[in-house]
Amino acid sequence: MIRMNDRVEQMAVLMQDQQRRLEALNARVIRLETVLELTLRRDLPRISGADDS
């Protein structure tokens, strides 16, 4: 029974570590998406028209 409890505790620690990694990767993807969107917006040609005064 003690071995099973140790194994469960090890798995819980492993799952917490994996969760932290996933959250870090998710944050990284969000930052990359933001940079990509800003870069694409900056590089798009401006359409003249309504805002020209």
Side-chain angles (χ1 to χ4, degrees), residues 5-20:
N5 287 338
D6 288 344
R7 184 71 178 149
V8 168
E9 289 176 12
Q10 289 173 352
M11 292 296 291
V13 169
L14 180 64
M15 289 175 67
Q16 289 172 347
D17 184 47
Q18 288 178 341
Q19 183 66 32
R20 279 191 291 274

Side-chain angles (χ1 to χ4, degrees), residues 18-29:
Q18 288 178 341
Q19 183 66 32
R20 279 191 291 274
R21 288 181 185 185
L22 284 171
E23 289 171 1
L25 286 171
N26 191 32
R28 186 175 177 189
V29 167

Side-chain angles (χ1 to χ4, degrees), residues 26-42:
N26 191 32
R28 186 175 177 189
V29 167
I30 290 169
R31 289 192 302 271
L32 288 169
E33 286 177 335
T34 302
V35 169
L36 178 62
E37 286 180 21
L38 292 173
T39 302
L40 289 174
R41 283 185 191 169
R42 184 186 65 194

